[in-house]
Amino acid sequence: MLFTYVLFHSFVSEVKAEDLPQVNGESAILIDAKTGTIIYEKNANTPMYPASITKIATGIYAIENGNPDDVVTVSKNARYVEGTRVYLGEGEQVPLRKLEYGLLMHSGNDAAIAIAEHMEGSEAKFAEKLNQYLAETVGVEKTHFTNPHGLHDENHYTTASDMAKIARYAMKNETFRTIVGTLRLPWDGKEWKSELNNHNKLLRDYEGATGIKNGFTDQAMHTLVGSAKRGDTEFIAVTMKTSTSALAYKDVRTLLDYGFAHYETKMVTKHGTIYKDQGSKQEYVVDEDLYVTAPLGASIETNVTQSGQLIVAAGNKQYEFMLTPKFKPAPRIPVDAEANKAPIASAKAPYYALFAAWLLLNATLVLYVVTRRTRRQRRASAKNIYRRMGQP
């Protein structure tokens, strides 16, 4: 983890020397979705109000921890929540899967509360479980949510860096990817019969857009997490606290454009590949597919060190990956120990000789005693026989 931190931040510091994109949001970040490499950041670790991009976390939590076929009964609390809704009716019964679409496509606050209450009993309990999940499973560091929808609360905050981590984790789930990439969906509800239209405008006008979610409150202002994939390369961009929706989308497009213009994701090697250190001849195996974020068009060169590190050079960038020894080498006996083997054995030789002499002496005594006893028994038997025959 320490190496990853140093690697990513040294990567960013090198990129800053170039002509970086200009963004309007107070906080922003651009990462490679495959490797997690940070390509650009601006106040990325500053706490911000997220608004509805909170629903990215709620959505992936529900997908991974809920049963999509569960039937959820909508409460009065969910029915009368403020803000964007999919107009769920009080007492309406809706499959959890359908609520996930209403949450992520249409940003329904009522869908968020219905999901939270169904899964954990209340919004507060859901927030507690969600925070634990994000910290332990996703690895966020500066995020604390108090509700499942993102309506303003002083203690409801995150950072652009954490949101990028959450989005990257969520996009590894195919169900989540499908939902946030869906443009339209018929909606046949108790109080509302219509068609859901995905609120994310990137899906309509940005090449290769794959997601993810926008948000707005008066305090958070406009927030947006966007992703796009071209070929084998996918980037995730986050902008927070922009003054208008148009500027938020401009930020994300600018960041994504910059990523595709300068970098690409390249596979270094596949899981199971064997590397050999030419010095020690030790073989190492790759535990998972390895990728790097490389300058566009850069070639990949690899080298294995005696300590089992795979050094990857991609243009002017360098990465290191720890490999697993295929066979554990036998432990080497220190030179001093080899030298001391003979003296130790030699020093113990007199004790071994004394022990052998003691055993021999005891064996001789035992044999002597047994022999004498046997002779006495024979003499006594002979005397008895002579007496019976009347001989002296």
Side-chain angles (χ1 to χ4, degrees), residues 319-350:
Y319 302 82
E320 297 177 8
F321 299 94
M322 285 303 302
L323 303 177
T324 302
K326 186 178 179 183
F327 300 106
K328 223 171 186 178
R332 294 180 178 179
I333 300 174
V335 176
D336 290 346
E338 291 281 2
N340 290 334
K341 270 185 177 181
I344 291 172
S346 177
K348 291 184 177 180

Side-chain angles (χ1 to χ4, degrees), residues 269-289:
T269 188
K270 288 184 174 292
H271 164 77
T273 301
I274 304 298
Y275 282 91
K276 181 183 290 186
D277 167 35
Q278 296 305 315
S280 66
K281 303 302 182 183
Q282 169 67 43
E283 291 186 332
Y284 298 92
V285 64
V286 179
D287 290 333
E288 60 182 347
D289 294 348

